[in-house]
Amino acid sequence: MLNISENKSTADKVNLKNYKAFGMVKDYTARKIFTRLLIAFFGILFLSMFLPWTQNVRAKGYVTTLKPDQRPQIIHSIIGGRIESWFIQEGDYVSKGDTILFLSETKAEYMDPDLLGRTEQQIEAKKLAVQSYMEKINALDEQISALLSTQKLKIEQTHNYIKQAQLKIISDSIAFEAAKTNYEIAERQFKRTEQLHADGLNSLTELETRKLKLQETESKKVGAENKLLSSRNELINYQVELSSVANQYREKLSKSESDKFSALSAMYDAEAVVTKMQNQYMNYSVRTGLYYVTAPQDGYITKTIRSGIGETVKQGDDLVSVMPADFDLAVEMYVDPIDVPLLHVGNKVRFMFDGWPSVVFSGWPGVSFGTFGGEVVAIDNFISNGGKYRILVARDKNAIDWPKQLRVGAGANGIALLKDVPVWYEIWRQLNGFPPDYYAKQSSAAKEKK
């Protein structure tokens, strides 16, 4: 076939640019260039399959603080009252202990202006009552000691009486035995004299004398026996008196001890009342200090929830919100349960904060622009209400600082960085729906087992 472009005679005589048909059948080299570009593209694409790709887990969250005491705080009313005056306005900086507002009392039992003084007087009166009970107890102790001492002396005295009575019984027994002996002798003499008188050897006078002697000895014997019985009766009386003394003083001691224990009980009750009133006094004193609501820490007044003068607030009502001045920012991320086993404390995370432009290549974090580094510091062990797990991420100290204009509550898109794998492996994993680093963990576990 004849090539028109090679026909120089025709090309010299005719302007081929004026005829489209010649342009359509003209032989161009574009096909060769396209083929080469296509081969180069697929070559570059094939080589890029072996480039390193950083596996990652993407999650959304919001900016918070690392420590609980650095987060926005609502100041509540500890007591109920009536707002009398404000000492701040929204946006003011307050130091710890600065007065925010003043409340007045609304409960009738606390409205006495001299409540603390009167309570203190009642406490002093109860203390005097306790002191009087203590003095009564001391007096009863002395009385008990005196009774014990008297009881001891009285018992010793009665024992002496008993001993004297026993000795007297012995003496009277001897005298009685002597009287009996004299009586027996007199009786024998009388019988002999009577016999002699019957025989006519003695006179009647001698007989009467012996008879009189017999009666005298009989009388002495009866008197000695009577005296012995009296001594024995006296011993019994002293023994009875000993028991009576013991019972008498036991009753007195029991009464004194009963009075002592009653005084002790009353004293303990009075001391309990004193302690209770002292507690009440301290409660009144602390309540008086709670009329002034103060700042718990250094920070800025962000919002006054209650406003105006004369408004009544209840115990526990919200008054103002304070944002601490010094805080360490962190990010709360919420990830799916399938990704939680892959995350550990210390994992690196890259953030894109709301309001800060960024260009992100999730697989190549080194070439990303406008992202900020973080490090996982805590992972919850229980699932949240949204069906995801909460992860707390702090600023990476080895990376650039987070923006100073960043505020608590701002949104953040996080990219948790995992293991580096080839691009072809990541595409294959995504197509099959496997979690990141799945086979890497299986292979490492198999190696350990082997």
Side-chain angles (χ1 to χ4, degrees), residues 140-181:
L140 289 171
D141 285 335
E142 293 178 357
Q143 182 179 356
I144 291 172
S145 299
L147 287 173
L148 289 173
S149 179
T150 306
Q151 181 188 22
K152 183 178 179 181
L153 294 175
K154 193 70 175 177
I155 290 174
E156 288 180 358
Q157 183 182 19
T158 308
H159 278 298
N160 292 333
Y161 287 155
I162 291 174
K163 192 172 182 180
Q164 290 177 357
Q166 290 174 347
L167 294 175
K168 188 176 181 182
I169 288 173
I170 294 173
S171 177
D172 291 343
S173 297
I174 294 172
F176 176 63
E177 292 296 330
K180 286 172 61 178
T181 302

Side-chain angles (χ1 to χ4, degrees), residues 4-5 7 10-11 14-23 26:
I4 297 177
S5 61
N7 192 350
T10 305
V14 180
N15 189 3
L16 299 179
K17 295 181 179 180
N18 295 328
Y19 300 95
K20 294 182 179 179
F22 288 103
K26 188 176 181 180

Side-chain angles (χ1 to χ4, degrees), residues 143-158 241-257:
Q143 182 179 356
I144 291 172
S145 299
L147 287 173
L148 289 173
S149 179
T150 306
Q151 181 188 22
K152 183 178 179 181
L153 294 175
K154 193 70 175 177
I155 290 174
E156 288 180 358
Q157 183 182 19
T158 308
E241 184 179 358
L242 179 63
S243 301
S244 177
V245 168
N247 294 330
Q248 180 182 1
Y249 280 93
R250 188 181 298 113
E251 182 180 357
K252 292 181 179 179
L253 287 171
S254 298
K255 185 177 183 304
S256 298
E257 289 178 352

Side-chain angles (χ1 to χ4, degrees), residues 126 129-135 137 261-274:
K126 280 296 179 182
V130 172
Q131 185 177 358
S132 65
Y133 282 125
M134 292 180 65
E135 292 177 356
I137 291 169
F261 289 133
S262 298
L264 279 172
S265 177
M267 185 187 72
Y268 293 148
D269 290 339
E271 287 180 347
V273 173
V274 169

